[in-house]
Amino acid sequence: MKLKFNSILKNIFANSIFSVIQLSFQLISVPLFINYLGAELYGEWLLVMAFSIFLQNSDFGINKYTSNLITIEYVKSNFKEYNTIFNNNIFFHLCIHFVLLVIVFIVMKYSMIDFGFKVISKGVLSNLIIIVVLNSLIGNIKNSLNAIFRAIDKLHIGLNIDNLFKVIEIALLILGLIFGVSVFALVSIILLINVLNLFCKILLSTKHFVIGYKYIDIKKLKNNLSGSIPFFVMPLSISAIDQGVIWIINIFLGSTYVVVFTTIRTFVSTIKIAVGIVHKSIWPEITRLYGLNNGLKLKKLFYQSFTFVTYAVLIFIIGISLFGWDVYVLWVGDDLEVNKTLFYTMMISASIYCIGSHASIFMLAINQVKRITSFFIVFSLLSYFILYGLIWYSLEVYYIGVFFIVYELVFALFLFREFLIEYKENKKDFYMSYKAYARRIDISFMFKN
């Protein structure tokens, strides 16, 4: 029987293409921007872009949380309910960004601070920040539309629209740099492309939703904001912990070891990126099956995808063990004082993270994350102080890798405990089911007859 790609595999392709586009642009953009803008202006460009990255949290996690709700209500044919959730999201994004625009206008008009910008004038900076805020608004609305594509099992279409317009954006930015257009024009290009991207998504999804004031429900919006807090707090906590670790290393071991740690972490994080693509791709299907109350298929999807992930991690460990160190040393060069123990311990911790994150994605996709978030924040803060004391006492960089192995292992065990409770599995059934799937390496979840 002829096999056809199902939505999961299409999502994997779309997410993979996006990762390749992002990585390629990061590799080619740095020398281009430095060459055509100069180091000082490029530094100020990065500051403006850093503000845009900060604004990615302006949705307070509501898009991720309500994406699950929209899918669940759609598969249950509760069209009024999922239209209400969607309209609430749009209303919320408009309100938040209106407030942001007012704050930007007041600060830039009446503040005497130059914010450290020397090449970009304050007037131009004001316009740039306004465009960045508008870009954030459009980005959040696009993500809300992606929730519609998820609900109708066509997420890959939304992702591929993003991929297409990202390629166009990159091409126009490169041409803009070559022809020497202003920074304002470059940011305007990004805004224009995002506007076109938004209209394209609206045209392709408009028959699946209704925009109207009658669908706005402030009470439900408040409830959704309350539920979205874990989706907002956890990424912020992860970022804070990551920066905190770098801060500790810099204080006790020096900036050279900051470079050593970050380059090793970046190198071994390739497996996190690969597994993350799989997780993002199965997320919509998890939510859809949960909405349909199809527990058997949901568990089957878990064991099939978990088997795939564990074999991918095993291959990664073997590959890194055989060739990783030599490739890493070649990548960073001879000038850096590298640490082999830190390299392999960070490899192991990254592998454990991938295993644990598989359980977490099956909790995130059904909005069961309050206990996980609470545990993560308390556990991470305690771990952070333990690491501080450990490095202060030992002044040895390799302890960082050992610390992360223990950290990821404890958190992974907690995640699987929560998974077993939520999905009503016991340890013995879990082991037997995984063993059965692992023997035949079943990847049929990516295909359909």
Side-chain angles (χ1 to χ4, degrees), residues 32-34 36-50 117-121 123-132 135 172-173 176-192:
L32 280 173
F33 273 92
I34 292 175
Y36 288 102
L37 294 183
E40 193 170 10
L41 181 55
Y42 177 51
E44 294 186 0
W45 164 273
L46 290 176
L47 287 174
V48 174
M49 291 300 104
F117 285 79
K118 297 178 180 178
V119 181
I120 299 176
S121 67
V124 173
L125 179 61
S126 300
N127 293 329
L128 290 176
I129 297 300
I130 289 171
I131 291 177
V132 166
N135 235 338
L172 290 177
L173 284 176
L177 287 170
I178 294 172
F179 286 102
V181 303
S182 66
V183 170
F184 178 78
L186 292 175
V187 177
S188 299
I189 288 171
I190 297 174
L191 177 63
L192 174 63

CSV table of all heavy atoms in Angstrom, one decimal, residues 32-34 36-50 117-121 123-132 135 172-173 176-192:
chain,number,residue,atom,x,y,z
A,32,LEU,N,28.3,40.1,6.8
A,32,LEU,CA,27.6,41.1,5.9
A,32,LEU,C,27.3,42.4,6.6
A,32,LEU,O,27.6,43.5,6.1
A,32,LEU,CB,26.3,40.4,5.3
A,32,LEU,CG,26.5,39.5,4.1
A,32,LEU,CD1,25.2,38.8,3.8
A,32,LEU,CD2,27.0,40.2,2.9
A,33,PHE,N,26.7,42.2,7.8
A,33,PHE,CA,26.3,43.4,8.5
A,33,PHE,C,27.5,44.2,9.0
A,33,PHE,O,27.5,45.5,8.9
A,33,PHE,CB,25.4,43.0,9.7
A,33,PHE,CG,23.9,42.9,9.4
A,33,PHE,CD1,23.4,41.7,9.1
A,33,PHE,CD2,23.1,44.0,9.5
A,33,PHE,CE1,22.0,41.6,8.8
A,33,PHE,CE2,21.8,43.9,9.2
A,33,PHE,CZ,21.2,42.7,8.9
A,34,ILE,N,28.5,43.5,9.4
A,34,ILE,CA,29.7,44.2,9.9
A,34,ILE,C,30.4,44.9,8.7
A,34,ILE,O,30.8,46.1,8.8
A,34,ILE,CB,30.7,43.2,10.5
A,34,ILE,CG1,30.2,42.7,11.8
A,34,ILE,CG2,32.1,43.9,10.7
A,34,ILE,CD1,31.0,41.6,12.5
A,36,TYR,N,29.0,46.0,5.8
A,36,TYR,CA,28.2,47.1,5.1
A,36,TYR,C,27.7,48.1,6.1
A,36,TYR,O,27.5,49.3,5.7
A,36,TYR,CB,27.0,46.5,4.4
A,36,TYR,CG,27.4,45.8,3.1
A,36,TYR,CD1,27.5,44.4,3.1
A,36,TYR,CD2,27.8,46.5,2.0
A,36,TYR,CE1,27.9,43.7,1.9
A,36,TYR,CE2,28.1,45.8,0.8
A,36,TYR,CZ,28.2,44.4,0.8
A,36,TYR,OH,28.6,43.8,-0.4
A,37,LEU,N,27.6,47.8,7.4
A,37,LEU,CA,27.1,48.8,8.3
A,37,LEU,C,28.2,49.3,9.2
A,37,LEU,O,28.2,50.5,9.7
A,37,LEU,CB,26.0,48.2,9.3
A,37,LEU,CG,24.7,47.8,8.7
A,37,LEU,CD1,23.8,47.3,9.8
A,37,LEU,CD2,24.1,48.9,7.9
A,38,GLY,N,29.3,48.5,9.3
A,38,GLY,CA,30.4,48.9,10.3
A,38,GLY,C,30.1,48.4,11.6
A,38,GLY,O,28.9,48.2,12.0
A,39,ALA,N,31.1,48.2,12.4
A,39,ALA,CA,30.9,47.5,13.7
A,39,ALA,C,30.0,48.3,14.7
A,39,ALA,O,29.2,47.7,15.4
A,39,ALA,CB,32.3,47.3,14.4
A,40,GLU,N,30.2,49.6,14.7
A,40,GLU,CA,29.5,50.5,15.7
A,40,GLU,C,28.0,50.5,15.3
A,40,GLU,O,27.1,50.3,16.2
A,40,GLU,CB,30.0,51.9,15.7
A,40,GLU,CG,29.5,52.7,16.9
A,40,GLU,CD,30.2,54.0,17.1
A,40,GLU,OE1,31.0,54.4,16.2
A,40,GLU,OE2,30.0,54.7,18.1
A,41,LEU,N,27.6,50.7,14.1
A,41,LEU,CA,26.2,50.8,13.6
A,41,LEU,C,25.6,49.4,13.8
A,41,LEU,O,24.4,49.2,14.2
A,41,LEU,CB,26.1,51.3,12.2
A,41,LEU,CG,24.7,51.4,11.7
A,41,LEU,CD1,23.8,52.2,12.6
A,41,LEU,CD2,24.7,52.0,10.2
A,42,TYR,N,26.4,48.3,13.5
A,42,TYR,CA,25.9,47.0,13.6
A,42,TYR,C,25.5,46.7,15.1
A,42,TYR,O,24.5,46.0,15.4
A,42,TYR,CB,26.9,46.0,13.1
A,42,TYR,CG,26.5,44.5,13.2
A,42,TYR,CD1,25.2,44.1,12.8
A,42,TYR,CD2,27.3,43.6,13.8
A,42,TYR,CE1,24.8,42.7,13.0
A,42,TYR,CE2,26.9,42.3,14.0
A,42,TYR,CZ,25.7,41.8,13.6
A,42,TYR,OH,25.3,40.5,13.7
A,43,GLY,N,26.4,47.2,16.0
A,43,GLY,CA,26.1,47.0,17.4
A,43,GLY,C,24.8,47.6,17.8
A,43,GLY,O,24.1,47.0,18.6
A,44,GLU,N,24.5,48.8,17.3
A,44,GLU,CA,23.3,49.5,17.6
A,44,GLU,C,22.1,48.8,16.9
A,44,GLU,O,21.0,48.7,17.5
A,44,GLU,CB,23.4,50.9,17.2
A,44,GLU,CG,24.4,51.7,18.0
A,44,GLU,CD,24.4,53.2,17.7
A,44,GLU,OE1,23.6,53.7,16.9
A,44,GLU,OE2,25.2,53.9,18.4
A,45,TRP,N,22.3,48.2,15.8
A,45,TRP,CA,21.3,47.4,15.1
A,45,TRP,C,20.9,46.2,16.0
A,45,TRP,O,19.7,45.8,16.2
A,45,TRP,CB,21.8,46.9,13.7
A,45,TRP,CG,21.0,45.7,13.1
A,45,TRP,CD1,21.2,44.4,13.4
A,45,TRP,CD2,19.9,45.8,12.2
A,45,TRP,NE1,20.4,43.6,12.6
A,45,TRP,CE2,19.5,44.5,11.9
A,45,TRP,CE3,19.2,46.8,11.6
A,45,TRP,CZ2,18.5,44.2,11.1
A,45,TRP,CZ3,18.2,46.5,10.8
A,45,TRP,CH2,17.8,45.2,10.5
A,46,LEU,N,22.0,45.5,16.6
A,46,LEU,CA,21.7,44.4,17.5
A,46,LEU,C,20.9,44.8,18.7
A,46,LEU,O,20.1,44.0,19.2
A,46,LEU,CB,23.1,43.8,17.9
A,46,LEU,CG,23.8,43.0,16.8
A,46,LEU,CD1,25.2,42.5,17.3
A,46,LEU,CD2,23.0,41.9,16.2
A,47,LEU,N,21.2,46.0,19.2
A,47,LEU,CA,20.4,46.5,20.4
A,47,LEU,C,18.9,46.6,20.0
A,47,LEU,O,18.0,46.3,20.8
A,47,LEU,CB,21.0,47.8,20.8
A,47,LEU,CG,22.3,47.8,21.6
A,47,LEU,CD1,22.8,49.2,21.9
A,47,LEU,CD2,22.2,47.0,22.9
A,48,VAL,N,18.6,47.2,18.8
A,48,VAL,CA,17.2,47.3,18.4
A,48,VAL,C,16.6,45.9,18.2
A,48,VAL,O,15.5,45.7,18.6
A,48,VAL,CB,17.2,48.1,17.0
A,48,VAL,CG1,15.8,48.1,16.5
A,48,VAL,CG2,17.7,49.5,17.2
A,49,MET,N,17.4,45.0,17.6
A,49,MET,CA,16.8,43.6,17.4
A,49,MET,C,16.7,42.9,18.8
A,49,MET,O,15.8,42.1,18.9
A,49,MET,CB,17.8,42.8,16.5
A,49,MET,CG,17.8,43.3,15.1
A,49,MET,SD,16.2,43.2,14.2
A,49,MET,CE,15.7,44.9,14.2
A,50,ALA,N,17.5,43.3,19.7
A,50,ALA,CA,17.4,42.7,21.1
A,50,ALA,C,16.0,43.1,21.7
A,50,ALA,O,15.4,42.3,22.4
A,50,ALA,CB,18.5,43.1,22.0
A,117,PHE,N,22.9,55.2,22.3
A,117,PHE,CA,23.0,55.2,20.8
A,117,PHE,C,23.8,56.4,20.4
A,117,PHE,O,23.5,57.6,20.7
A,117,PHE,CB,21.6,55.2,20.2
A,117,PHE,CG,21.0,53.8,20.2
A,117,PHE,CD1,20.3,53.4,21.4
A,117,PHE,CD2,21.0,53.0,19.2
A,117,PHE,CE1,19.7,52.2,21.5
A,117,PHE,CE2,20.4,51.7,19.2
A,117,PHE,CZ,19.7,51.3,20.4
A,118,LYS,N,24.8,56.2,19.6
A,118,LYS,CA,25.7,57.3,19.1
A,118,LYS,C,25.6,57.5,17.6
A,118,LYS,O,25.6,58.6,17.1
A,118,LYS,CB,27.1,57.0,19.4
A,118,LYS,CG,27.4,57.0,21.0
A,118,LYS,CD,28.8,56.6,21.3
A,118,LYS,CE,29.1,56.6,22.8
A,118,LYS,NZ,30.5,56.2,23.1
A,119,VAL,N,25.4,56.4,16.8
A,119,VAL,CA,25.3,56.5,15.4
A,119,VAL,C,23.8,56.8,15.0
A,119,VAL,O,23.5,57.7,14.1
A,119,VAL,CB,25.8,55.3,14.7
A,119,VAL,CG1,25.7,55.4,13.2
A,119,VAL,CG2,27.2,55.0,15.1
A,120,ILE,N,22.9,56.1,15.6
A,120,ILE,CA,21.5,56.3,15.3
A,120,ILE,C,20.9,57.4,16.1
A,120,ILE,O,21.0,57.4,17.3
A,120,ILE,CB,20.7,55.0,15.6
A,120,ILE,CG1,21.2,53.8,14.7
A,120,ILE,CG2,19.2,55.2,15.3
A,120,ILE,CD1,20.5,52.5,15.0
A,121,SER,N,20.4,58.4,15.5
A,121,SER,CA,19.8,59.6,16.2
A,121,SER,C,18.6,59.2,16.9
A,121,SER,O,17.9,58.2,16.7
A,121,SER,CB,19.5,60.7,15.2
A,121,SER,OG,18.4,60.3,14.4
A,123,GLY,N,15.6,60.6,17.0
A,123,GLY,CA,14.5,60.6,16.1
A,123,GLY,C,14.3,59.3,15.3
A,123,GLY,O,13.2,58.8,15.3
A,124,VAL,N,15.4,58.9,14.7
A,124,VAL,CA,15.4,57.6,14.0
A,124,VAL,C,15.1,56.5,14.9
A,124,VAL,O,14.3,55.5,14.5
A,124,VAL,CB,16.7,57.4,13.2
A,124,VAL,CG1,16.7,56.1,12.5
A,124,VAL,CG2,16.9,58.5,12.1
A,125,LEU,N,15.7,56.5,16.1
A,125,LEU,CA,15.5,55.4,17.0
A,125,LEU,C,14.1,55.3,17.4
A,125,LEU,O,13.5,54.2,17.6
A,125,LEU,CB,16.4,55.7,18.3
A,125,LEU,CG,16.3,54.6,19.4
A,125,LEU,CD1,16.7,53.2,18.9
A,125,LEU,CD2,17.1,55.0,20.6
A,126,SER,N,13.4,56.4,17.6
A,126,SER,CA,12.0,56.4,18.0
A,126,SER,C,11.1,55.7,16.9
A,126,SER,O,10.3,54.9,17.2
A,126,SER,CB,11.4,57.9,18.1
A,126,SER,OG,12.1,58.5,19.2
A,127,ASN,N,11.4,56.0,15.6
A,127,ASN,CA,10.7,55.4,14.5
A,127,ASN,C,11.0,53.9,14.5
A,127,ASN,O,10.1,53.1,14.2
A,127,ASN,CB,11.1,56.1,13.2
A,127,ASN,CG,10.6,57.5,13.1
A,127,ASN,OD1,9.5,57.8,13.7
A,127,ASN,ND2,11.3,58.4,12.4
A,128,LEU,N,12.3,53.6,14.7
A,128,LEU,CA,12.7,52.1,14.7
A,128,LEU,C,11.9,51.3,15.8
A,128,LEU,O,11.4,50.2,15.5
A,128,LEU,CB,14.2,52.0,14.9
A,128,LEU,CG,15.1,52.5,13.8
A,128,LEU,CD1,16.6,52.3,14.2
A,128,LEU,CD2,14.9,51.7,12.5
A,129,ILE,N,11.8,51.9,17.0
A,129,ILE,CA,11.2,51.2,18.1
A,129,ILE,C,9.7,51.1,17.8
A,129,ILE,O,9.1,50.0,18.1
A,129,ILE,CB,11.4,52.0,19.4
A,129,ILE,CG1,12.8,52.0,19.8
A,129,ILE,CG2,10.6,51.3,20.5
A,129,ILE,CD1,13.5,50.6,20.0
A,130,ILE,N,9.1,52.1,17.2
A,130,ILE,CA,7.6,52.0,16.8
A,130,ILE,C,7.4,50.9,15.8
A,130,ILE,O,6.5,50.1,15.9
A,130,ILE,CB,7.2,53.3,16.2
A,130,ILE,CG1,7.1,54.4,17.3
A,130,ILE,CG2,5.8,53.2,15.5
A,130,ILE,CD1,6.8,55.8,16.9
A,131,ILE,N,8.3,50.8,14.8
A,131,ILE,CA,8.2,49.7,13.8
A,131,ILE,C,8.4,48.3,14.5
A,131,ILE,O,7.7,47.4,14.1
A,131,ILE,CB,9.2,49.9,12.7
A,131,ILE,CG1,8.9,51.1,11.8
A,131,ILE,CG2,9.3,48.7,11.8
A,131,ILE,CD1,9.9,51.5,10.8
A,132,VAL,N,9.3,48.3,15.4
A,132,VAL,CA,9.6,47.0,16.1
A,132,VAL,C,8.3,46.6,16.9
A,132,VAL,O,8.0,45.4,16.9
A,132,VAL,CB,10.8,47.1,17.0
A,132,VAL,CG1,10.9,46.0,18.0
A,132,VAL,CG2,12.1,47.2,16.2
A,135,ASN,N,5.8,45.4,14.5
A,135,ASN,CA,6.2,44.0,14.0
A,135,ASN,C,5.9,43.0,15.0
A,135,ASN,O,5.5,41.8,14.7
A,135,ASN,CB,7.8,44.0,13.8
A,135,ASN,CG,8.2,43.6,12.5
A,135,ASN,OD1,7.4,42.9,11.8
A,135,ASN,ND2,9.3,43.9,12.0
A,172,LEU,N,15.9,40.3,0.7
A,172,LEU,CA,15.7,41.8,0.6
A,172,LEU,C,16.7,42.5,1.6
A,172,LEU,O,17.2,43.6,1.2
A,172,LEU,CB,14.3,42.2,0.9
A,172,LEU,CG,13.3,41.8,-0.2
A,172,LEU,CD1,11.8,42.2,0.2
A,172,LEU,CD2,13.6,42.5,-1.5
A,173,LEU,N,16.9,41.9,2.8
A,173,LEU,CA,17.8,42.5,3.7
A,173,LEU,C,19.3,42.5,3.1
A,173,LEU,O,20.0,43.5,3.2
A,173,LEU,CB,17.8,41.8,5.0
A,173,LEU,CG,16.6,42.0,6.0
A,173,LEU,CD1,16.7,41.1,7.2
A,173,LEU,CD2,16.6,43.5,6.4
A,176,GLY,N,19.4,45.1,0.5
A,176,GLY,CA,19.4,46.4,1.1
A,176,GLY,C,20.8,46.7,1.6
A,176,GLY,O,21.2,47.9,1.5
A,177,LEU,N,21.5,45.8,2.2
A,177,LEU,CA,22.8,46.0,2.7
A,177,LEU,C,23.8,46.3,1.6
A,177,LEU,O,24.6,47.3,1.7
A,177,LEU,CB,23.3,44.8,3.5
A,177,LEU,CG,22.7,44.5,4.9
A,177,LEU,CD1,23.1,43.2,5.4
A,177,LEU,CD2,23.2,45.6,5.9
A,178,ILE,N,23.7,45.5,0.5
A,178,ILE,CA,24.6,45.7,-0.6
A,178,ILE,C,24.4,47.1,-1.3
A,178,ILE,O,25.4,47.8,-1.6
A,178,ILE,CB,24.4,44.6,-1.7
A,178,ILE,CG1,24.8,43.3,-1.1
A,178,ILE,CG2,25.1,44.9,-3.0
A,178,ILE,CD1,24.4,42.1,-1.9
A,179,PHE,N,23.1,47.6,-1.4
A,179,PHE,CA,22.8,48.8,-2.0
A,179,PHE,C,22.9,50.0,-1.0
A,179,PHE,O,22.6,51.1,-1.3
A,179,PHE,CB,21.5,48.8,-2.7
A,179,PHE,CG,21.5,48.0,-4.0
A,179,PHE,CD1,21.0,46.7,-4.0
A,179,PHE,CD2,22.1,48.5,-5.1
A,179,PHE,CE1,21.0,46.0,-5.2
A,179,PHE,CE2,22.1,47.8,-6.3
A,179,PHE,CZ,21.6,46.5,-6.3
A,180,GLY,N,23.3,49.7,0.2
A,180,GLY,CA,23.5,50.8,1.2
A,180,GLY,C,22.3,51.5,1.7
A,180,GLY,O,22.4,52.7,2.0
A,181,VAL,N,21.1,50.8,1.8
A,181,VAL,CA,20.0,51.5,2.4
A,181,VAL,C,20.1,51.7,3.9
A,181,VAL,O,20.9,51.1,4.5
A,181,VAL,CB,18.7,50.7,2.1
A,181,VAL,CG1,18.5,50.4,0.6
A,181,VAL,CG2,18.7,49.4,2.9
A,182,SER,N,19.3,52.6,4.4
A,182,SER,CA,19.4,53.0,5.8
A,182,SER,C,18.9,51.9,6.7
A,182,SER,O,18.2,51.0,6.3
A,182,SER,CB,18.6,54.3,6.1
A,182,SER,OG,17.2,54.0,5.9
A,183,VAL,N,19.3,52.0,8.0
A,183,VAL,CA,18.8,51.0,9.0
A,183,VAL,C,17.3,51.1,9.1
A,183,VAL,O,16.6,50.1,9.2
A,183,VAL,CB,19.4,51.3,10.4
A,183,VAL,CG1,18.8,50.5,11.5
A,183,VAL,CG2,20.9,51.0,10.3
A,184,PHE,N,16.7,52.3,9.0
A,184,PHE,CA,15.3,52.5,9.0
A,184,PHE,C,14.6,51.7,7.9
A,184,PHE,O,13.6,51.1,8.1
A,184,PHE,CB,14.9,54.0,9.0
A,184,PHE,CG,13.4,54.2,8.9
A,184,PHE,CD1,12.7,54.2,10.1
A,184,PHE,CD2,12.8,54.5,7.7
A,184,PHE,CE1,11.3,54.4,10.1
A,184,PHE,CE2,11.4,54.8,7.7
A,184,PHE,CZ,10.7,54.7,8.9
A,185,ALA,N,15.2,51.8,6.7
A,185,ALA,CA,14.7,51.1,5.5
A,185,ALA,C,14.7,49.6,5.8
A,185,ALA,O,13.8,48.8,5.4
A,185,ALA,CB,15.4,51.5,4.3
A,186,LEU,N,15.8,49.1,6.4
A,186,LEU,CA,16.0,47.7,6.6
A,186,LEU,C,14.9,47.1,7.6
A,186,LEU,O,14.3,46.1,7.3
A,186,LEU,CB,17.4,47.4,7.2
A,186,LEU,CG,18.6,47.6,6.3
A,186,LEU,CD1,19.9,47.4,7.1
A,186,LEU,CD2,18.5,46.6,5.1
A,187,VAL,N,14.6,47.9,8.6
A,187,VAL,CA,13.6,47.5,9.6
A,187,VAL,C,12.2,47.6,8.9
A,187,VAL,O,11.3,46.8,9.2
A,187,VAL,CB,13.6,48.4,10.9
A,187,VAL,CG1,12.5,48.0,11.8
A,187,VAL,CG2,15.0,48.2,11.6
A,188,SER,N,12.0,48.6,8.1
A,188,SER,CA,10.8,48.7,7.3
A,188,SER,C,10.5,47.6,6.4
A,188,SER,O,9.4,47.1,6.2
A,188,SER,CB,10.8,50.0,6.5
A,188,SER,OG,10.9,51.2,7.4
A,189,ILE,N,11.6,47.0,5.8
A,189,ILE,CA,11.5,45.8,5.0
A,189,ILE,C,11.0,44.7,5.8
A,189,ILE,O,10.1,43.9,5.3
A,189,ILE,CB,12.9,45.5,4.4
A,189,ILE,CG1,13.3,46.5,3.3
A,189,ILE,CG2,12.9,44.0,3.8
A,189,ILE,CD1,14.7,46.3,2.8
A,190,ILE,N,11.5,44.5,7.0
A,190,ILE,CA,11.0,43.4,7.8
A,190,ILE,C,9.5,43.6,8.1
A,190,ILE,O,8.7,42.6,8.1
A,190,ILE,CB,11.8,43.4,9.2
A,190,ILE,CG1,13.3,43.1,8.9
A,190,ILE,CG2,11.2,42.3,10.1
A,190,ILE,CD1,14.2,43.1,10.1
A,191,LEU,N,9.1,44.8,8.4
A,191,LEU,CA,7.7,45.1,8.7
A,191,LEU,C,6.8,44.8,7.5
A,191,LEU,O,5.8,44.1,7.6
A,191,LEU,CB,7.5,46.5,9.1
A,191,LEU,CG,6.1,47.0,9.4
A,191,LEU,CD1,5.4,46.2,10.5
A,191,LEU,CD2,6.0,48.5,9.6
A,192,LEU,N,7.2,45.2,6.3
A,192,LEU,CA,6.5,45.0,5.1
A,192,LEU,C,6.3,43.5,4.8
A,192,LEU,O,5.2,43.1,4.5
A,192,LEU,CB,7.2,45.7,3.9
A,192,LEU,CG,6.6,45.5,2.5
A,192,LEU,CD1,5.2,46.0,2.4
A,192,LEU,CD2,7.5,46.1,1.4
